Amino acid sequence: MNANSSEPTDVTAADARELLVDLVSIPSPTGEEREAAKRLVDFFEAHDREVWIDAVGNVRAPADDAVLLTSHIDTVPGDIPVEVEATGDDEILWGRGSVDATGPLAAMAAAAVRTGVSFVGVVGEEIDSKGSRYLVDDREEPPDAVVNGEPSGADGITLGYRGLIAGTYVATSESGHTSRPDPNAIQHAVRWWSAVEDRFEGDEYEPVFEQVTTKPVDIEGGVSADGLSVEATMDVQLRVPPALTVGTVREAAEAELEVGTVTWKDKVPPVMMSPRTAVARAFRVAIRKEGGDPRLVRKTGTSDMNIYAGAWDCPMVTYGPGNSDLDHAPDERLPLSEFDQSVAILERVARTLSED
C-alpha cells in the first residue's frame, strides 16, 4: 500500500444495504450531488478512512492504489418513490439511481472499505463528466488499475464503450418568399445532416457497437427577429466505434458541409480493453467463485471509463450491479441479492489486485 493507505475494516451486508438505500433516497441529479456526497463522506469517516470533497464535488478516499474503485454520484432527474419490495426470497429496491449508478457506487464504497483500496465518487457524469475530467487532471499519477462503476449485471464485465463527438451546426440565409426555389438555412441544415447520416449508414448485419451512429438532439430555425434572414441551429451527436477515431469521424462529417458552420465539443475517444488484463482475469475468477457465469460486454454509449482510458495507461473495466436496460427508466429497480453479490465480487477483485 502507498502512504495514503487505510486498513480494511468490516462492512456488513446490512451496512452496505443501508448505505445504498440512503443514497437512493437522497435526490442527486447532476449539479445537486452535495447531500449524497456528504452521506458518502460520513460512511468513510465512520470506518476511519481519510476522505474529503474536492473542488468540484468529488468524494475522494485515497488508499491502496493497486486499484481505484470509482463511480458517479449524479443521476438523471426523475422522481421514483423509494421502496424496498419483498418478492419471493429476494428484495427489490425501487428508486432513481438504484441502477445508474448509485447501486455500483454504494457497492464500490463498501468494497473499498472492506479491502482498503482507493475510492472516488465523481460528479457530473450524466452531463459532461466534470468530475472524472477533474480527477485525471488533479491526480499526479494514475492508479495501477481502475474499476469504473456502471450497471453491467453481477456477472457482466464491460470492456468497451464507443466514443462521442457532439457539435452545433449554424446557418443563415437571406429571407424571401417561401415560393422561391433557393434553399433557406433550415433546408441547408437538414441537407447537411441527411448527407452525414447517409455517409455513416451501417450494414444491417454490422453490430451497432462497430458502427458510427448519428443523432440530431435539438433543432431551432425560422425568420430572424429583424425579418431579414432565416436562421437554423442544430445540435448533433455522433457515436464513434473503437475502430475509428473522433478525428476521422469529425473530418468525414465536415466533408459533407457545403453551407454553414459546425462547432465541435465533447470529444470523447472510444475505448476497448483486452479481456486478458489482470483486472479482467480477476473479475472472471471472482464472478465464478460467487456462483456466476462471466460475460464480456461492449456498450454502445459512453462513460467515464472513456475519460480514464484517454488519460491513464493502466488496465480497467467497468462493472456494477443492475440491468442497464433500466438506466434512466421510470421503473428503475435493483434486486438486493444482486447488490450483495456485486459487493462480494468487488471485494474479491480488490483483494486479488492488492496482493499481485
Side-chain angles (χ1 to χ4, degrees):
M1 293 185 179
N2 64 17
N4 287 325
S5 298
S6 298
E7 291 299 319
T9 59
D10 184 47
V11 175
T12 67
D15 292 336
R17 286 190 177 192
E18 181 182 12
L19 175 65
L20 170 65
V21 174
D22 285 353
L23 288 173
V24 172
S25 299
I26 299 170
S28 56
T30 307
E32 301 176 26
E33 301 100 330
R34 188 74 180 183
E35 187 177 349
K38 289 179 179 178
R39 177 64 179 92
L40 276 171
V41 168
D42 291 344
F43 175 77
F44 280 94
E45 287 181 339
H47 292 89
D48 299 320
R49 281 286 295 266
E50 177 188 7
V51 63
W52 72 89
I53 297 175
D54 69 18
V56 299
N58 296 331
V59 176
R60 310 271 287 269
D64 182 354
D65 257 351
V67 60
L68 168 64
L69 304 181
T70 176
S71 185
H72 62 93
I73 304 171
D74 62 316
T75 70
V76 297
D79 183 14
I80 302 173
V82 178
E83 176 188 2
V84 177
E85 175 190 11
T87 171
D89 57 356
D90 200 356
E91 292 179 297
I92 308 294
L93 172 63
W94 292 74
R96 174 59 78 221
S98 55
V99 172
D100 185 17
T102 309
L105 178 75
M108 288 184 165
V113 169
R114 284 184 182 179
T115 59
V117 300
S118 292
F119 170 90
V120 179
V122 297
V123 296
E125 190 273 346
E126 296 290 358
I127 299 296
D128 57 7
S129 292
K130 177 175 76 172
S132 60
R133 293 179 191 274
Y134 180 83
L135 180 64
V136 299
D137 289 339
D138 190 59
R139 280 188 60 120
E140 293 183 359
E141 296 181 357
D144 295 337
V146 175
V147 180
N148 180 55
E150 292 283 357
S152 60
D155 59 355
I157 309 164
T158 303
L159 299 177
Y161 285 91
R162 291 191 298 175
L164 168 70
I165 180 170
T168 300
Y169 170 91
V170 176
T172 303
S173 61
E174 291 184 358
S175 60
H177 197 279
T178 55
S179 64
R180 290 171 52 184
D182 299 333
N184 64 19
I186 299 170
Q187 289 172 295
H188 287 309
V190 171
R191 289 178 182 180
W192 172 67
W193 192 243
S194 295
V196 172
E197 290 178 326
D198 290 343
R199 177 145 190 168
F200 291 116
E201 185 176 6
D203 185 282
E204 61 179 315
Y205 300 107
E206 184 179 23
V208 173
F209 183 79
E210 298 172 8
Q211 299 179 32
V212 175
T213 53
T214 58
K215 192 70 64 176
V217 294
D218 189 52
I219 185 168
E220 296 180 358
V223 178
S224 61
D226 61 13
L228 300 179
S229 62
V230 176
E231 301 171 339
T233 301
M234 179 188 295
D235 292 329
V236 301
Q237 293 182 356
L238 299 97
R239 299 286 175 168
V240 183
L244 299 174
T245 68
V246 167
T248 57
V249 171
R250 182 192 66 236
E251 290 170 3
E254 288 176 347
E256 304 297 333
L257 192 65
E258 296 183 358
V259 177
T261 61
V262 60
T263 303
W264 300 105
K265 55 187 178 180
D266 291 342
K267 303 168 187 175
V268 180
V271 57
M272 188 68 210
M273 288 285 163
S274 168
R276 293 180 289 277
T277 66
V279 184
R281 287 197 301 270
F283 267 102
R284 288 197 297 272
V285 171
I287 289 169
R288 290 190 182 105
K289 287 186 175 179
E290 291 299 325
D293 185 12
R295 298 177 297 108
L296 301 181
V297 180
R298 304 182 305 176
K299 290 195 174 182
T300 58
T302 306
S303 79
D304 279 341
M305 180 168 151
N306 299 67
I307 305 298
Y308 301 133
W312 294 336
D313 184 17
C314 66
M316 58 187 71
V317 304
T318 291
Y319 175 82
N323 177 358
S324 59
D325 288 343
L326 297 175
D327 289 4
H328 307 182
D331 55 349
E332 191 173 356
R333 63 198 185 277
L334 176 66
L336 292 183
S337 62
E338 181 179 345
F339 174 78
D340 296 341
Q341 185 182 16
S342 294
V343 174
I345 289 167
L346 285 163
E347 180 181 357
R348 286 184 182 274
V349 168
R351 294 192 188 283
T352 297
L353 296 174
S354 296
E355 293 166 0
D356 284 351

